[in-house]
Every structure is written in C-alpha cells, then in structure tokens.
Amino acid sequence: MSKKAMASKPEKRKPEKGLASNGDSQLAASGELHQSAGGEHPALTTNQGVALSDNQNSLKANLHGPTLLEDFILREKITHFDHERIPERIVHARGTGVHGFFELTTSLKPYTTAKVLTEVGAKTPVFTRISTVAGGAGSVDTPRDVRGFAVKFYTQEGNWDLVGNNIPVFFIQDAIKFPDLIHAVKMEPDRAFPQAATAHDTFWDFISLTPESMHMVMWIMSDRTLPRSLRMIEGFGVHSFRLINAAGESTFVKFHWRPKLGLQSTIWDEAVKIAGADPDFHRRDMFEAIAAGSFPEWEFAVQLFTQEEADKFPFDHLDATKLIPEELVPLKVVGRMVLDRWPDNFFAETEQVAYCPGNIVPGIDFSNDPLLQGRLFSYIDTQLSRLGSPNFHQILINAPKCPFGNHQRDGHMQMEQPVGRVAYEPNSLSETSPRETPDHGFHSAAVTETGEKGRVRDERFADHYSQARQFYLSQSGYEQAHIASALVFELSKVEHLHIREALVAHLRHIEEDLAQRVAAGLALDKLPAAPAVAAPVQQMKLSPALQIIGKMKDTLRGRAVGILIANGSDGVVIQKLKKAATKAGASVKIVAPTVGGVQLSDGSQLAVDGQLAGTPSVLFDAVALVLSAEGATTLSRESAAIDFVRDAFGHLKAIAADQGGQALLSKAHVGQDAGIVDANDQVAFIAAAITRQWDREKSVRTLA
Ligand code: HDE
C-alpha cells in the first residue's frame, strides 16, 4: 500500500510514529475509538478505496451468529495476508540491506567508458545487501558462513549489480556443480537439519570429493566466516571482469571492497553464544549504526591486468577457486561506498531486491570464468520464480533511476501503462518510440573465440592445493590454530569416519602440520594417505594481506563496550569509563540486574540499557565491572553475572574492574593478565580494549 493510502483510525492512544495501530476491540465495540478528533489520519480503506467503518469486527449474521461470506472487507484483508510471503532465496535468504552512495575518487578512463567509473566526484546511489548463504530467512545472523556482499549501483547508464562475497574465492570451478554444493550444505533432505551449518556429513562428504574446494575450505574455516559486524567485512567481486575503453580495448579487473573500520571477527565460542543472545546481532548492529549516524564505509579498489600478464600467473584467473595476491597485482583504490539510509520497508526493499550479475553497463563486460557464465543465467531465472513476474524490474528497489524503455510488454503485474499502437522496433509509425543507440549503447568486448566445443576444463584449473597452502601459511599462529580447531569442530560433527579421513587426507597436501593437528584433534589412529594430485603443489610467496589479524585496526571505533553495574555502584567511575569509551568511538551500554534503573552509591538513579540475563558480554567488545562490595556479593550468586565475566575473559576481551569488580572476577575464578585493568585507569582500559588479548587464548581453551 502506498504511503498515502496507509492509515489508521483516529484513536486515543497516539501510535508510535511509523507503526500502524491495531486499536482496541472493546473500545471499538463501544464506539469510543471513533470519538476522538478526526482529520489527523486519512481514512482506512479497502484496496478499492472504500472507507472502512469498523476494522475490529467481521460481519456476523447476528450478535452470536456465523460470519458472512459476503464480508468483502474481511475476505480482502485475509486473502492479502494469506499471500504475504514470497519464496525465500534458495541461497542467501537471510540478509540485511541498506541504501547509500558510491563516490568515485579516481577516474578509470584509460580502461573504461562506464560513467560510474570515470566521473570523479559523482555520487551514484546504491542498495547493498549483505547475507549469510546457507540458512533460511529466519535463521540466525552468526553461523559460520560466507557472507554475500551484493551492491546494486543505480548508474546514469543503467543498473550495475556487483554480486560478490566477503571471501575472494569460491568452492567450485564450474556452475554445473552449484546445485550439488548447495544441496550438500543445506539441511539434509530426510531430516531437515542442521539449519545454517556446514558441520554435518553431507557437506563434508561433497567437499572431500571435490578437491577444488580446498582453498575455499581454508577461508571458511578461518574467522572470516565469523564477522563481528557486517560493517567490518571485506567484499570481493570474486570473478575477473573486463573493463572496455573508448578504443574498444579491454583490461581484466577484480573488484574489492575494504571496510574503513578494518576487519574484525568474533571467535567460535562467542559466535555460538551470540546466536542465542541475539539472533539478529548483525542486523541490529547495522540498524543501530545507521540510526546513530555512524555510517559504514568501504574503499572500492580494483586490480587491473592484461591478458599478457594473466598468461604469466602461476594459475588461471578464470578459475574462481584462485585469487590474485595483492602482492602480485596491487590494489588501486578508486572510490568509496557509504551506507547511510535504512530502508523504509524490509519486504519492499531488502526482500524484493533482485540482484543479477548479468546487470552490467557499457564499459564493463564479463570474463569467461565458467562459474560467472552460469550465474549470468541463474539469477534472472530465480527471480522469475521468487518474484513471480518478468516485470520484477519495475519494483521500485529494482528499477533503474535513469530513463528506460523498450517494447517488452504485458506479463504478470505489469505496472506500466504503455500508450500507442507501436510495440515493436524498427517501426515507421512512431516518432518517439525507443530506438537502438549504436554510439553509446552496450557493446560486448571484441573477443576472438576458437577451439572445439566440449565439456572441458583447462588443465591450469587442476592445481587445487597451492593457494590453499599459501593462505594457511600466510596466517598468524593464532589464526592457524583457529583454522585447525574449526576443522576439528566441524569434522567431529561428521558421523562417518571415512569422510573425516578423506578430508584430513587432503589437508596433507596443504600443510602436513595442519593435517597432523586435525588428525590429533579427531583422535585418528593414523594419518590417512594423501590423494593423488593432478598438478604439483607449488610453493607460493606468502601473502600477509590474506590475514585477518593483520587487517584488524586497534580501535574502539564502531565497537561496543558494556558496563556491568548494580545498586551501590560508583557513578563517578561509571561516567569516566563511559566518557573515555565514547570518546574512543565506542557505543556504551549499561547492564544491570534490573532494567528499571539502578541506585548508585551517592543515592542517584542511573538508567540501564540492558538487563543482565538478556545482555551477556558476548554482545560487547570490551567490558567494565563497576560494583560495590554488596553488589559483587549479590552478583556472585547470579550465573548470568559469572558467565558475563567468564565469557568476556574466555573471548579474549579487556575487562576493567574496580574493587567490587575484582571480587566478582575472583568468584568467577577468572585469573589476572594484561587485559584486566583497574576501572579507575581509563587510559589503560581503552589501550587494552582496542584489541583482543590473543596471548590469553592458550590459557582458556585447547586449540588444535
Ligand atoms: Fe549466487 N545465487 N550463485 N553466488 N549469490 C543467488 O540468486 C548462483 C555465487 C551471491 O542479496 C541466487 O537472487 C549460482 C558466487 C550473492 O539477493 C541464485 C552460482 C557468488 C547472492 C544464485 C552462484 C555468489 C546470491 C539465490 C554458481 C560470489 C545474494 C537468490 C554458478 C561471487 C544476492 C538470488 C542477494 C544469490 C545462484 C555462485 C554471490 C540461486 C548458480 C561465486 C551475494 O540465483
């Protein structure tokens, strides 16, 4: 329903802005609702514009009689309700979308004619949707999963959709394998679980039989799949694309998004607990950041290379299981994207947005990556069944913001009302009907194609381990331990021993030490024999850019600090901590046993943001404990308070504690280290809070 038509009846209680009111049936029955002053609200009508006299009671044959079929108002409302859902996306069903803009800072004119990439300073509106892959639309935000990173640029020359992920490589090399991959990762068909998880037999069975996925396995077992915030992930176009300049020359390009806030991840135990504490953790984080005016921003960068350069790479750039190390082809930052407007309506925008990698504009073209080629078909096809009509491009969120028109006609839900008798081209009957524009219309790259057709793959695609090895060896020791432990966790959920063994066998080609650590974690009797390789494993130069830790920023900007207090806490210490954390860029929340407020030591009241049981420390990047002796004694009997401090410690977070806080720490048997600081020393707290206490990890869990 349009904004104009949206309405509710005048009523006594003023509804919250933007929320429709349901009224009150008893008041309605007595007619009271109708007595308040009118004029403020437009009339509530049917979809045919007929004003409703009563939205609380259906039409009955008599006071105690049956409801009448003739009640067209009831029927219209219920019928619409019955059809409120559309099929969710087959993959990437769970997503968060935000409006924003792209601004070009460096022209790519030597390489492309696309205005979006040549007009410096021009701001192009975008709609960006970030998603998980495996779970359904109602699944949690923090499973171990790849994040989709899809950007629709509404350029002056048509829509350009860059539909990427937060990982620069993919599981498979050819689109024909995608349905198998997704069937393997989704809930198993006979039992319909697990939801949103790779840790089950069918996924690892498929993976262990698909060696080309080994590079991606390293990425998904790293903490890249456990982002702290959607504002702290990278984005990648994954495939090579082409840029085409005015002379018709083409250059290959890989697209990258780099978050201004730096990369930041959670750790596995934390992600699992966040899923219970706040299933909407990432969506809420984005919503709150936008509402607070703290707009997430990414740099937009390109890697440009020619065919001649590509021929010298020790891999094939058309193989989506490979990346081009930044050290080989440096990234050139050419723009930025800022997300600054939450959608008005989730369904209309985030749910109905239909990204298609086939949406490109003049000056950009596809490469022959066989995965990309398959995607060019898949997305339009899926939108047809998801949105139900070939006119889905007319939905506001999908429609170009530049003029568009052609002779395509009719179909379900045609929203336009074309005039005139001409619906074809060429024609001589219309002076104004759209015509082709050879000069600035879309031209494909002039590429020569030769060779025999066949179900074939270049032999350069056969090296499945070299870049997996490069990735693993480029990680810090902490990250390697997380990868090994993630593999142990996942494979421990696999029931079939032969699948566990098959996977460990592949790891031997990646790095013997990794295979041994995982085998030990699974208590395998002996190391399984490594499978035969189709191509020798190459020793590639280490690439520090592949780390997460190396790309984390020591900052509290965009992060959250929780201060646990209780009756009798010292208000001065709380305020000083809050001020210091806010100044450092964090959002600060006060957590207490009761949400209604806390009486501080000086007798004043302090408002509380979250009740302890519902606001565990997993929701924060660092915590402070400001407690009176009495408060500490009370909280030491609360398992939620004990968990609060134990988890903060176990998740390697800085903890500021005053004397009462220290008492709670010792009740929770939490030891002391450099990350535990005096709550009166705010400078020390901020210094500890801007990073994780990585060295603590060996004291809190056994890693593989
Ligand atoms: Fe997708 N993918 N995909 N994909 N994909 C979809 O399209 C598909 C692939 C990606 O926020 C679907 O609208 C095939 C790679 C994102 O709405 C579907 C193949 C990459 C999104 C589809 C791939 C992606 C999708 C499901 C192998 C990273 C969410 C609903 C050839 C470069 C977009 C839909 C959004 C969604 C097919 C592989 C990214 C079924 C056949 C590689 C970010 O059409």
Side-chain angles (χ1 to χ4, degrees):
M1 197 186 279
S2 73
K3 271 195 184 148
K4 215 164 113 197
M6 196 173 72
S8 61
K9 284 185 182 178
E11 58 177 21
K12 286 191 166 172
R13 277 167 299 152
K14 214 172 158 52
E16 209 178 301
K17 195 167 167 256
L19 293 182
S21 164
N22 292 324
D24 179 305
S25 54
Q26 274 187 346
L27 287 178
S30 68
E32 253 191 79
L33 271 179
H34 306 268
Q35 289 165 10
S36 53
E40 221 184 309
H41 301 278
L44 180 68
T45 76
T46 66
N47 288 336
Q48 305 304 319
V50 177
L52 270 62
S53 63
D54 182 343
N55 191 32
Q56 325 301 327
N57 299 294
S58 53
L59 184 65
K60 321 278 176 2
N62 57 60
L63 192 56
H64 297 109
T67 302
L68 296 178
L69 193 57
E70 75 170 63
D71 188 349
F72 64 95
I73 293 173
L74 172 73
R75 275 189 288 115
E76 183 198 82
K77 188 173 177 182
I78 299 272
T79 306
H80 194 277
F81 171 77
D82 289 346
H83 299 272
E84 270 178 9
R85 292 289 167 275
I86 58 173
E88 68 174 32
R89 289 166 173 80
I90 299 161
V91 280
H92 297 266
R94 169 95 189 158
T96 294
V98 192
H99 291 274
F101 63 86
F102 169 75
E103 184 181 7
L104 192 73
T105 48
T106 303
S107 172
L108 287 173
K109 199 157 191 187
Y111 307 100
T112 180
T113 56
K115 287 188 178 164
V116 62
L117 297 178
T118 53
E119 293 188 349
V120 171
K123 287 189 177 168
T124 304
V126 298
F127 186 72
T128 297
R129 183 175 180 274
I130 303 181
S131 48
T132 55
V133 179
S139 59
V140 300
D141 272 346
T142 54
R144 176 180 291 284
D145 201 354
V146 180
R147 297 302 185 283
F149 197 114
V151 182
K152 193 180 275 294
F153 298 76
Y154 302 92
T155 88
Q156 317 163 38
E157 298 174 297
N159 286 353
W160 172 32
D161 292 358
L162 186 54
V163 195
N165 280 342
N166 74 327
I167 288 179
V169 290
F170 202 64
F171 294 93
I172 47 170
Q173 298 174 322
D174 192 301
I176 201 165
K177 298 177 115 177
F178 191 66
D180 298 296
L181 167 72
I182 298 307
H183 291 172
V185 73
K186 283 256 180 189
M187 300 180 294
E188 297 187 12
D190 58 343
R191 57 205 68 184
F193 62 80
Q195 173 70 267
T198 45
H200 60 120
D201 285 62
T202 58
F203 176 73
W204 287 104
D205 187 26
F206 177 81
I207 291 296
S208 67
L209 296 168
T210 311
E212 71 205 49
S213 65
M214 287 307 137
H215 187 194
M216 184 68 167
V217 164
M218 290 296 101
W219 283 82
I220 60 168
M221 292 296 107
S222 81
D223 295 347
R224 293 253 180 183
T225 43
L226 309 173
R228 155 66 180 88
S229 160
L230 302 180
R231 302 174 289 137
M232 300 170 197
I233 61 173
E234 292 183 323
F236 302 91
V238 177
H239 316 280
S240 297
F241 288 85
R242 288 172 184 274
L243 296 180
I244 320 237
N245 67 12
E249 296 154 347
S250 103
T251 309
F252 287 115
V253 60
K254 292 258 191 194
F255 297 111
H256 297 248
W257 298 106
R258 297 201 305 198
K260 269 279 167 73
L261 292 172
L263 284 180
Q264 184 71 7
S265 289
T266 58
I267 52 184
W268 176 237
D269 183 68
E270 189 184 5
V272 169
K273 289 174 176 160
I274 292 171
D278 185 1
D280 309 300
F281 185 63
H282 285 151
R283 189 177 287 172
R284 189 188 311 278
D285 168 87
M286 183 68 94
F287 180 86
E288 288 180 353
I290 303 280
S294 172
F295 303 134
E297 184 171 337
W298 283 263
E299 283 176 347
F300 181 68
V302 291
Q303 282 177 298
L304 298 166
F305 55 99
T306 60
Q307 180 68 60
E308 292 67 40
E309 285 165 323
D311 291 342
K312 294 192 199 109
F313 296 159
F315 49 83
D316 196 322
H317 74 102
L318 298 179
D319 168 359
T321 69
K322 307 293 187 311
L323 55 81
I324 304 180
E326 287 180 30
E327 292 79 3
L328 186 61
V329 179
L331 263 64
K332 189 178 159 74
V333 176
V334 296
R336 67 185 191 121
M337 173 172 73
V338 178
L339 299 182
D340 58 4
R341 185 165 66 83
W342 192 258
D344 291 327
N345 184 275
F346 183 87
F347 179 83
E349 296 163 270
T350 309
E351 196 56 17
Q352 293 200 112
V353 65
Y355 296 95
C356 301
N359 289 352
I360 51 170
V361 293
I364 304 178
D365 205 353
F366 314 115
S367 72
N368 284 354
D369 175 340
L371 200 64
L372 173 61
Q373 294 281 320
R375 294 180 73 205
L376 300 181
F377 160 74
S378 174
Y379 288 64
I380 294 199
D381 186 42
T382 209
Q383 310 308 351
L384 289 175
S385 89
R386 204 166 68 78
L387 297 164
S389 151
N391 294 314
F392 69 83
H393 63 281
Q394 294 178 9
I395 298 172
L396 273 182
I397 193 70
N398 294 322
K401 294 194 193 300
C402 63
F404 66 101
N406 51 48
H407 303 286
Q408 293 162 24
R409 286 289 179 273
D410 310 343
H412 274 292
M413 294 292 159
Q414 166 61 271
M415 295 295 158
E416 281 164 9
Q417 205 159 297
V419 292
R421 66 195 298 193
V422 166
Y424 55 92
E425 199 269 347
N427 69 71
S428 63
L429 300 184
S430 167
E431 297 278 292
T432 55
S433 69
R435 302 283 157 115
E436 60 196 24
T437 45
D439 52 337
H440 64 270
F442 182 86
H443 288 283
S444 295
V447 180
T448 309
E449 298 290 355
T450 54
E452 260 175 41
K453 83 172 175 194
R455 298 191 178 277
V456 289
R457 219 184 292 186
D458 192 294
E459 67 180 32
R460 291 222 297 169
F461 280 41
D463 175 2
H464 303 318
Y465 302 102
S466 301
Q467 285 207 351
R469 178 175 170 76
Q470 178 188 37
F471 178 82
Y472 180 72
L473 293 179
S474 299
Q475 304 301 304
S476 67
Y478 303 114
E479 290 162 298
Q480 288 181 344
H482 283 199
I483 292 172
S485 302
L487 281 160
V488 171
F489 175 91
E490 296 266 320
L491 295 173
S492 297
K493 293 272 183 186
V494 168
E495 291 161 11
H496 293 82
L497 179 62
H498 76 271
I499 299 176
R500 290 185 215 146
E501 288 175 340
L503 205 282
V504 174
H506 286 296
L507 298 180
R508 299 191 66 178
H509 288 307
I510 297 175
E511 168 60 22
E512 192 66 34
D513 176 56
L514 173 64
Q516 282 172 10
R517 289 161 81 167
V518 177
L522 295 169
L524 292 186
D525 290 344
K526 56 178 177 31
L527 268 185
V533 290
V537 183
Q538 307 173 58
Q539 299 300 327
M540 310 197 68
K541 263 204 194 146
L542 296 193
S543 170
L546 300 177
Q547 282 187 13
I548 309 177
I549 286 191
K551 286 183 166 173
M552 285 181 181
K553 288 193 173 160
D554 284 350
T555 178
L556 269 181
R557 202 148 292 287
R559 300 190 194 162
V561 169
I563 307 181
L564 177 61
I565 65 166
N567 281 339
S569 290
D570 185 336
V572 176
V573 180
I574 299 171
Q575 285 317 325
K576 281 189 180 162
L577 283 166
K578 191 170 175 176
K579 202 170 155 202
T582 310
K583 196 168 160 225
S587 62
V588 178
K589 284 198 174 143
I590 304 290
V591 183
T594 47
V595 79
V598 155
Q599 189 167 39
L600 301 175
S601 55
D602 63 1
S604 64
Q605 285 281 323
L606 185 67
V608 167
D609 303 301
Q611 194 241 348
L612 174 58
T615 319
S617 63
V618 290
L619 304 179
F620 304 110
D621 298 273
V623 299
L625 316 169
V626 183
L627 297 168
S628 64
E630 197 195 329
T633 308
T634 314
L635 287 190
S636 64
R637 291 191 292 269
E638 286 293 340
S639 66
I642 301 294
D643 289 348
F644 192 94
V645 293
R646 277 211 189 140
D647 276 343
F649 191 77
H651 300 148
L652 319 182
K653 293 169 185 172
I655 304 177
D658 63 359
Q659 221 175 347
Q662 281 292 352
L664 183 62
L665 285 172
S666 73
K667 285 280 184 196
H669 301 292
V670 166
Q672 297 292 318
D673 67 15
I676 305 221
V677 297
D678 182 356
N680 289 295
D681 187 348
Q682 289 84 35
V683 176
F685 176 54
I686 300 303
I690 56 176
T691 178
R692 295 232 180 189
Q693 313 301 310
W694 296 107
D695 285 341
R696 186 190 291 161
E697 189 152 42
K698 52 188 176 304
S699 73
V700 292
R701 69 179 58 86
T702 309
L703 291 169

